[in-house]
Amino acid sequence: NNDPRNPLSTKAPLTNSMVEENYVRRLAEKLTSNGFFEDGEVEVFAQVLAELLEARLGKVDKLPSVDMVARVLDNVLHGVPNTSGNNIDMDIASAIRDAIERSGCHRDIVRYVIRSRFGLEPSEELTELGLNYLYMLDTWITDSGIGSRGIRDYIGEAAVAATALAIAEVELGSPKYALNILNDKGAKTVITRLKLNEFIKQLEQR
């Protein structure tokens, strides 16, 4: 992703991995069939994620099933914190967050959240606005002291918040209504963790 607004665009995929091509292919097919990515957009993410999983979880034959990876990815992108205490799930979630950063697939993430979390068709306007808010939240998370690595550690919450902000602006005329949207969706933790009340006040002061 070379979008100049994207503070993570300089990240490059890992190389020289010994991950089996069959695993990467099955992972790419699973993520495409589940709607996480559109055709042709998933290969780089699948490769990077497989390499990170291999690095965290050991040998290739110990890699988690593609079904397990898809389940954890869905939880991450719905802004669901991992409370199971399952170390493998936590390792997978960590690898997913890093893979999203390294592969720069934020557009795909926003489109998926628009469709799966909010039940809307990801129009170009909604996608672009969601991306814009995602990059704004990246700066906000760091500047407000929420986290030192921006959206990297909060990609699910940030994607859900950015999408809600975009929907509120397009459909209701103001991003402040994102709070209502998130409350209606049972996503109060997203509001709290990202200090969205303060973020929106800052928007309104511009």
Side-chain angles (χ1 to χ4, degrees):
N1 189 335
N2 294 318
D3 191 323
R5 296 172 301 169
N6 182 354
L8 310 175
S9 61
T10 58
K11 297 294 181 182
L14 300 176
T15 56
N16 301 322
S17 171
M18 298 301 291
V19 177
E20 291 182 356
E21 289 183 13
N22 184 50
Y23 183 83
V24 176
R25 178 181 55 77
R26 287 188 291 112
L27 183 58
E29 289 175 353
K30 180 69 176 180
L31 298 182
T32 301
S33 66
N34 277 18
F36 290 114
F37 292 88
E38 297 177 0
D39 291 338
E41 301 294 330
V42 70
E43 287 83 1
V44 172
F45 176 77
Q47 180 69 44
V48 173
L49 178 55
E51 292 169 2
L52 289 167
L53 289 169
E54 181 186 32
R56 285 165 168 76
L57 300 174
K59 297 179 180 178
V60 172
D61 62 357
K62 293 184 180 179
L63 286 174
S65 71
V66 295
D67 288 336
M68 179 182 288
V69 174
R71 174 179 57 78
V72 176
L73 177 59
D74 187 58
N75 284 342
V76 168
L77 296 185
H78 277 68
V80 178
N82 188 342
T83 57
S84 68
N86 185 318
N87 288 333
I88 293 178
D89 277 14
M90 293 174 71
D91 284 339
I92 295 171
S94 175
I96 285 169
R97 293 186 184 98
D98 287 347
I100 290 170
E101 176 197 9
R102 290 177 185 234
S103 61
C105 59
H106 298 105
R107 173 180 293 274
D108 296 282
I109 299 306
V110 168
R111 289 176 66 84
Y112 175 74
V113 172
I114 292 170
R115 185 183 290 114
S116 70
R117 192 74 165 86
F118 295 94
L120 298 173
E121 188 59 30
S123 66
E124 191 63 24
E125 179 187 19
L126 211 50
T127 301
E128 285 296 327
L129 200 52
L131 270 174
N132 188 50
Y133 277 122
L134 187 66
Y135 298 146
M136 290 173 69
L137 285 168
D138 184 64
T139 302
W140 167 255
I141 289 169
T142 302
D143 291 351
S144 62
I146 297 170
S148 61
R149 303 196 301 172
I151 60 173
R152 179 174 177 175
D153 293 328
Y154 296 89
I155 185 60
E157 296 92 334
V160 170
T163 300
L165 288 160
I167 293 170
E169 180 171 331
V170 170
E171 297 195 349
L172 303 173
S174 171
K176 68 181 180 182
Y177 296 115
L179 300 177
N180 303 82
I181 292 173
L182 291 169
N183 277 318
D184 289 345
K185 289 290 183 180
K188 292 182 180 179
T189 56
V190 171
I191 297 172
T192 304
R193 293 193 76 188
L194 300 186
K195 302 179 182 177
L196 282 187
N197 285 293
E198 296 176 37
F199 175 76
I200 289 172
K201 284 180 182 177
Q202 179 179 288
L203 287 178
E204 293 176 333
Q205 291 170 357
R206 292 186 173 186

CSV table of all heavy atoms in Angstrom, one decimal, residues 178-188 191:
chain,number,residue,atom,x,y,z
A,178,ALA,N,-21.6,8.5,15.3
A,178,ALA,CA,-21.0,7.2,15.3
A,178,ALA,C,-21.1,6.6,16.7
A,178,ALA,O,-21.2,5.4,16.8
A,178,ALA,CB,-19.5,7.4,15.0
A,179,LEU,N,-21.2,7.4,17.7
A,179,LEU,CA,-21.4,6.9,19.1
A,179,LEU,C,-22.7,6.2,19.2
A,179,LEU,O,-22.8,5.1,19.8
A,179,LEU,CB,-21.3,8.1,20.1
A,179,LEU,CG,-20.0,8.9,20.1
A,179,LEU,CD1,-20.1,10.0,21.1
A,179,LEU,CD2,-18.8,7.9,20.4
A,180,ASN,N,-23.7,6.7,18.6
A,180,ASN,CA,-25.0,6.1,18.6
A,180,ASN,C,-25.0,4.8,17.9
A,180,ASN,O,-25.6,3.7,18.3
A,180,ASN,CB,-26.1,7.0,18.0
A,180,ASN,CG,-26.2,8.3,18.7
A,180,ASN,OD1,-25.4,9.2,18.5
A,180,ASN,ND2,-27.2,8.5,19.6
A,181,ILE,N,-24.3,4.8,16.7
A,181,ILE,CA,-24.2,3.6,15.9
A,181,ILE,C,-23.5,2.5,16.6
A,181,ILE,O,-23.9,1.3,16.7
A,181,ILE,CB,-23.5,3.9,14.6
A,181,ILE,CG1,-24.4,4.8,13.7
A,181,ILE,CG2,-23.2,2.6,13.8
A,181,ILE,CD1,-23.7,5.4,12.5
A,182,LEU,N,-22.4,2.8,17.3
A,182,LEU,CA,-21.6,1.8,18.0
A,182,LEU,C,-22.4,1.3,19.2
A,182,LEU,O,-22.3,0.1,19.5
A,182,LEU,CB,-20.3,2.4,18.4
A,182,LEU,CG,-19.3,2.7,17.3
A,182,LEU,CD1,-18.1,3.5,17.7
A,182,LEU,CD2,-18.8,1.4,16.6
A,183,ASN,N,-23.1,2.2,19.9
A,183,ASN,CA,-23.9,1.7,21.1
A,183,ASN,C,-25.0,0.8,20.6
A,183,ASN,O,-25.2,-0.3,21.2
A,183,ASN,CB,-24.5,2.9,21.8
A,183,ASN,CG,-23.6,3.6,22.8
A,183,ASN,OD1,-22.9,2.9,23.5
A,183,ASN,ND2,-23.5,4.9,22.8
A,184,ASP,N,-25.6,1.1,19.5
A,184,ASP,CA,-26.6,0.2,18.9
A,184,ASP,C,-26.1,-1.2,18.5
A,184,ASP,O,-26.8,-2.2,18.6
A,184,ASP,CB,-27.3,0.9,17.7
A,184,ASP,CG,-28.2,2.1,18.2
A,184,ASP,OD1,-28.5,2.2,19.4
A,184,ASP,OD2,-28.5,2.9,17.3
A,185,LYS,N,-24.8,-1.2,18.1
A,185,LYS,CA,-24.2,-2.4,17.7
A,185,LYS,C,-23.5,-3.2,18.9
A,185,LYS,O,-22.9,-4.2,18.6
A,185,LYS,CB,-23.1,-2.1,16.6
A,185,LYS,CG,-23.7,-1.7,15.3
A,185,LYS,CD,-24.4,-2.9,14.6
A,185,LYS,CE,-24.9,-2.5,13.2
A,185,LYS,NZ,-25.6,-3.7,12.6
A,186,GLY,N,-23.7,-2.7,20.1
A,186,GLY,CA,-23.1,-3.3,21.2
A,186,GLY,C,-21.6,-3.2,21.3
A,186,GLY,O,-20.9,-4.1,21.8
A,187,ALA,N,-21.1,-2.1,20.7
A,187,ALA,CA,-19.6,-1.9,20.6
A,187,ALA,C,-19.2,-0.8,21.6
A,187,ALA,O,-18.3,0.0,21.2
A,187,ALA,CB,-19.2,-1.6,19.2
A,188,LYS,N,-19.7,-0.7,22.8
A,188,LYS,CA,-19.3,0.3,23.7
A,188,LYS,C,-17.8,0.2,24.1
A,188,LYS,O,-17.2,1.2,24.4
A,188,LYS,CB,-20.1,0.2,25.0
A,188,LYS,CG,-21.6,0.5,24.8
A,188,LYS,CD,-22.4,0.4,26.1
A,188,LYS,CE,-23.9,0.8,25.9
A,188,LYS,NZ,-24.7,0.7,27.1
A,191,ILE,N,-15.7,2.4,21.9
A,191,ILE,CA,-15.8,3.8,22.3
A,191,ILE,C,-14.9,4.1,23.4
A,191,ILE,O,-14.1,5.1,23.4
A,191,ILE,CB,-17.3,4.2,22.7
A,191,ILE,CG1,-18.2,4.0,21.5
A,191,ILE,CG2,-17.3,5.6,23.3
A,191,ILE,CD1,-19.7,4.2,21.9
